[in-house]
């Protein structure tokens, strides 16, 4: 039966080399460093616990326990961390345009013009306000 664990995976090769280097200089009964366990659990999540344990010469039960702990801590973080919203609607109960608009325009001579609009956008209001003072041809 062919193994689905690619032996040419660079991350697997790097982790195996790092474990071999650590084993060659470790003190007797020393614990495997956390960063090596983290790398092993990432590989186990991708390729399976048994295959990675054999390839890296690790205890299968310990690797399985660490993988389960990593998965549960990720799930807890995902539940406790609020996800950013893609869209947030803010409704203040205000209409987009006022229901009625009254413009009172006056010039320097005291002449006034009163315009009442049922509904108008701000761009409409600005255009109307400028129109009496524009130069005529």
């Amino acid at each position: 039966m062919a193994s689905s664990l690619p032996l040419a995976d660079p991350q697997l090769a790097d982790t195996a080399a790092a474990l071999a280097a650590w084993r060659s200089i470790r003190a007797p009964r020393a614990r495997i460093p956390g960063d090596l366990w983290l790398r092993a659990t990432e590989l186990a999540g991708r390729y399976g616990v048994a295959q990675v344990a054999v390839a890296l010469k690790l205890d299968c039960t310990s690797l399985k326990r660490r993988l389960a702990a990593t998965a549960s801590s990720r799930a807890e973080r995902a539940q406790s961390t609020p996800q950013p919203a893609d869209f947030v609607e803010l409704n203040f109960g205000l209409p987009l345009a006022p229901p009625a608009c009254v413009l009172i325009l006056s010039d320097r001579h005291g002449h006034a013009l009163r315009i009442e609009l049922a509904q108008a956008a701000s761009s409409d209001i600005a255009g109307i306000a400028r129109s009496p003072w524009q130069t005529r041809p």
Side-chain angles (χ1 to χ4, degrees):
M1 180 168 118
S3 171
S4 64
L5 184 66
L7 298 176
D9 183 339
Q11 190 176 7
L12 177 67
D14 290 345
T15 304
L19 276 167
W22 175 79
R23 286 180 178 126
S24 69
I25 60 168
R26 72 180 169 109
R29 305 194 57 81
R31 294 183 181 264
I32 297 175
D35 64 322
L36 292 177
W37 274 118
L38 180 63
R39 291 165 63 177
T41 56
E42 288 174 359
L43 289 166
R46 190 179 316 151
Y47 298 116
V49 174
Q51 293 177 339
V52 171
V54 169
L56 298 178
K57 300 175 185 162
L58 295 171
D59 178 45
C60 188
T61 306
S62 297
L63 182 58
K64 185 176 182 179
R65 189 172 0 103
R66 287 180 181 268
L67 181 63
T70 303
S72 66
S73 68
R74 280 187 192 139
E76 288 172 5
R77 277 183 289 185
Q79 290 175 352
S80 66
T81 305
Q83 298 298 320
D86 292 335
F87 175 78
V88 176
E89 179 181 2
L90 300 176
N91 184 358
F92 297 110
L94 300 174
L96 295 177
C101 179
V102 177
L103 292 175
I104 300 174
L105 307 171
S106 60
D107 64 3
R108 60 184 163 174
H109 302 292
H111 299 104
L113 174 65
R114 179 183 169 103
I115 302 173
E116 293 186 26
L117 302 169
Q119 279 190 329
S122 60
S123 60
D124 296 336
I125 295 169
I128 292 169
R130 277 193 303 268
S131 64
W133 285 276
Q134 289 179 343
T135 58
R136 295 185 182 126

